[in-house]
Amino acid sequence: MANRIEDCGRLDDLTRFAQECARAENLGDLQGTIDAAVRELGFRWFTLLHNVDLRRGGGQRLFLTTYPSAWLEEVLEERHYIEDPIHAACARTPSGLAWDRVGDVLELSSRQQSIMKRARDHDLAAGYSLPIRTPGEPEAIFTVARPRDEPLDAAEILTARLLGSVAYDRARELLGEEMRTLAVVSLSPRQVECIALVAQGKSDWEIAQILGLSRDTVHEYVESARRRYGVRRRTQLVLRAVRDGHLNMDALL
């Protein structure tokens, strides 16, 4: 009976959270709402962000967090995000995972083990991370964390998943057209043709021969697309084109 009462109370808390998120008028309001909820439900910190290069900045990228500022500075300065074990593990699960289960889906490198230890040193000892994937949009991740180094129980995990889903839905509404502008980069048919051949390992000269274009024209098609995406390498360009639906996964085979 006590458990049933507790479950009803938690459901009431989540219902109230959804209502308060709906009333948030901007991302600042939403961050405050999420912060209050995660504290009330037994966590200490949260992040809700697009899984993109944080160094690039940009107002259209979603980045809400209450993580300790010292940890955020270390993540950026030491470039922990490149080998972030939580994000790497989330890429291998459809529905998120608790941090104590990361080793079940990912063989941690010594660098990744060090990152996990450094996070604990900043009191980020236990948590849950939820990947949020929407076709044609950048992947997002919602995370809750606490300093107490104890595994999350089933109720806490379900709570975290519901918090993340509700919070992201409202953030997406608040970003509106800006998110869609960020998410999908338009490419010309010729650019798509060139990128598909890049994915097959063709050089600019080979692509030019296949498409009946000059090498310089092919180079400009590809480099223009790369600049539009803001990536440095052509492999990154291919992956972004697949993500946005310009190419299917067969282009990578």
Side-chain angles (χ1 to χ4, degrees):
M1 181 69 176
N3 286 341
R4 188 174 302 172
I5 293 173
E6 182 180 343
D7 290 343
C8 289
R10 180 158 296 198
L11 180 59
D12 288 342
D13 290 338
L14 290 168
T15 300
R16 186 170 63 254
F17 172 68
Q19 293 168 341
E20 291 173 354
C21 283
R23 288 194 290 269
E25 297 182 357
N26 53 56
L27 291 177
D29 290 346
L30 183 61
Q31 175 162 320
T33 297
I34 302 170
D35 183 30
V38 299
R39 290 171 181 267
E40 184 176 348
L41 293 170
F43 303 104
R44 173 62 182 83
W45 297 285
F46 86 91
T47 62
L48 176 60
L49 54 83
H50 279 139
N51 191 12
V52 295
D53 188 344
L54 298 180
R55 295 171 303 170
R56 290 171 54 85
Q60 293 142 336
R61 287 172 171 79
L62 179 61
F63 183 40
L64 305 179
T65 185
T66 58
Y67 269 16
S69 58
W71 173 239
L72 293 175
E73 291 172 4
E74 180 175 328
V75 166
L76 293 175
E77 290 176 3
E78 300 298 327
R79 305 179 74 185
H80 291 333
Y81 52 84
I82 294 177
E83 297 180 72
D84 188 309
I86 302 301
H87 288 199
C90 278
R92 302 188 180 191
T93 176
S95 56
L97 78 170
W99 292 0
D100 62 307
R101 303 298 302 274
V102 169
D104 294 344
V105 299
L106 183 71
E107 184 176 348
L108 295 174
S109 67
S110 58
R111 164 80 166 155
Q112 288 172 323
Q113 292 174 10
S114 174
I115 291 172
M116 295 284 285
K117 180 181 182 303
R118 289 298 300 148
R120 287 192 294 272
D121 290 343
H122 286 271
D123 283 337
L124 296 161
Y128 183 87
S129 294
L130 173 71
I132 304 171
R133 302 179 179 100
T134 304
E137 297 182 5
E139 180 179 293
I141 294 180
F142 176 76
T143 294
V144 290
R146 66 189 182 199
R148 190 170 75 255
D149 192 5
E150 296 176 3
L152 277 65
D153 61 33
E156 290 173 323
I157 288 173
L158 180 58
T159 297
R161 292 178 65 177
L162 291 172
L163 284 174
S165 297
V166 171
Y168 181 71
D169 284 348
R170 184 54 182 153
R172 189 168 176 267
E173 291 173 351
L174 290 170
L175 285 172
E177 290 298 326
E178 291 186 354
M179 177 178 286
R180 286 185 280 278
T181 299
L182 165 67
V184 179
V185 170
S186 61
L187 298 174
S188 71
R190 275 302 195 191
Q191 284 178 313
V192 173
E193 288 179 324
C194 291
I195 296 169
L197 291 168
V198 168
Q200 297 174 24
K202 305 296 185 184
S203 67
D204 286 352
W205 184 87
E206 290 172 317
I207 296 171
Q209 296 301 305
I210 293 169
L211 298 181
L213 302 171
S214 72
R215 181 185 177 282
D216 288 345
T217 298
V218 168
H219 183 78
E220 181 53 33
Y221 276 138
V222 175
E223 290 303 297
S224 175
R226 185 186 59 76
R227 291 192 298 270
R228 190 171 296 177
Y229 271 113
V231 296
R232 293 183 179 181
R233 298 189 297 275
R234 292 189 171 196
T235 51
Q236 294 173 305
L237 171 60
V238 170
L239 292 173
R240 298 296 175 86
V242 170
R243 184 200 71 183
D244 282 359
H246 296 300
L247 303 176
N248 58 40
M249 289 301 293
D250 290 341
L252 303 182
L253 302 178

